Amino acid sequence: MSGDYSRFTHRPKRRYSGVLMQQVRVQLDADWNEHADIVRRRWEIQAEDTFGLSAVPRATTPGGFKISPPAGGDLAIGAGRIYVDGKLAELFPGEQVGAPPIPVSYLHQPFFPDPPALPAGAKAVFLDVWDREVTYIEDPDILEKALGGPDTATRRQTVWQVRVMAPGNE
C-alpha cells in the first residue's frame, strides 16, 4: 500500500536547496515532500562524495556489517553502520527476528525474515539496501493517537538484506 499524494515536484536540475513556507498560503503535501526529497538527495550525494559507493565508518562502527562464519550453517552479521549508494544502513546490537543468540545472523536478520538456506560451497555475500514506504497498515504506531487515530503521513524507511549467492548463479 502506498500513500495518497497530489504530486511529486522535486527536479534535481533546478538545483533548489530547500522549500520555504509563506504566511497565509495553502500548505500542500507536494511542498513538504519536495523539501524532504531535496534534503535526502543532498545527504545521499554527500555520503557518496565523502565515502564512495560503500563504506563502513571505521572510527565509530568498525565491525559494521562484517560477515563472519559461525558454526551451524549460518553467517554472523556485525552490528554497526554502512553507507551503500549514499543510503545509511544500520544494524543495532541484538536486532534480529526470533530469539537466536547474539550476534545477529543471516538466518535471523530484521528485514529478511525467511531467507533461503545458505548454498553449499563457495558463496558471494552482498548487502542490498533500498528505501520503502511504510503506512499505518505496516506500522500502526504512526497513526495520530491524540486525534483519535487518523492516518496522517507515511514514512520512508531504509531497509537492507544480506543476500548470498553461489558463484555462477548471477
Side-chain angles (χ1 to χ4, degrees):
M1 177 178 186
S2 64
D4 179 18
Y5 308 105
S6 60
R7 61 192 177 126
F8 291 98
T9 57
H10 179 52
R11 305 290 179 268
K13 288 184 178 180
R14 292 184 182 162
R15 295 172 182 84
Y16 294 150
S17 60
V19 177
L20 304 174
M21 285 201 224
Q22 298 184 77
Q23 296 183 65
V24 196
R25 302 297 199 285
V26 174
Q27 298 297 305
L28 299 176
D29 63 297
D31 295 329
W32 173 273
N33 294 334
E34 181 172 355
H35 184 72
D37 287 343
I38 289 167
V39 171
R40 179 180 48 83
R41 181 175 184 273
R42 167 66 191 259
W43 287 342
E44 289 179 0
I45 287 175
Q46 185 173 4
E48 284 182 7
D49 290 347
T50 304
F51 311 127
L53 294 179
S54 66
V56 172
R58 182 176 32 181
T60 54
T61 64
F65 289 86
K66 179 179 179 183
I67 303 297
S68 304
D74 201 354
L75 299 172
I77 307 169
R81 292 185 293 279
I82 189 171
Y83 292 86
V84 177
D85 293 333
K87 295 183 184 326
L88 171 62
E90 290 184 278
L91 174 57
F92 297 100
E95 180 181 29
Q96 67 248 352
V97 174
I102 295 175
V104 176
S105 72
Y106 166 77
L107 294 174
H108 299 95
Q109 52 187 303
F111 299 110
F112 203 0
D114 193 20
L118 292 171
K123 39 189 123 333
V125 179
F126 63 96
L127 185 64
D128 194 5
V129 180
W130 71 97
D131 286 336
R132 69 177 178 188
E133 184 174 13
V134 176
T135 69
Y136 74 94
I137 302 295
E138 294 89 11
D139 184 0
D141 286 342
I142 64 176
L143 291 172
E144 183 47 62
K145 292 167 184 58
L147 300 175
D151 173 22
T152 60
T154 65
R155 303 296 190 266
R156 179 181 290 133
Q157 180 184 47
T158 303
V159 295
W160 55 267
Q161 293 177 345
V162 170
R163 295 187 169 267
V164 178
M165 180 183 342
N169 290 341
E170 301 84 44

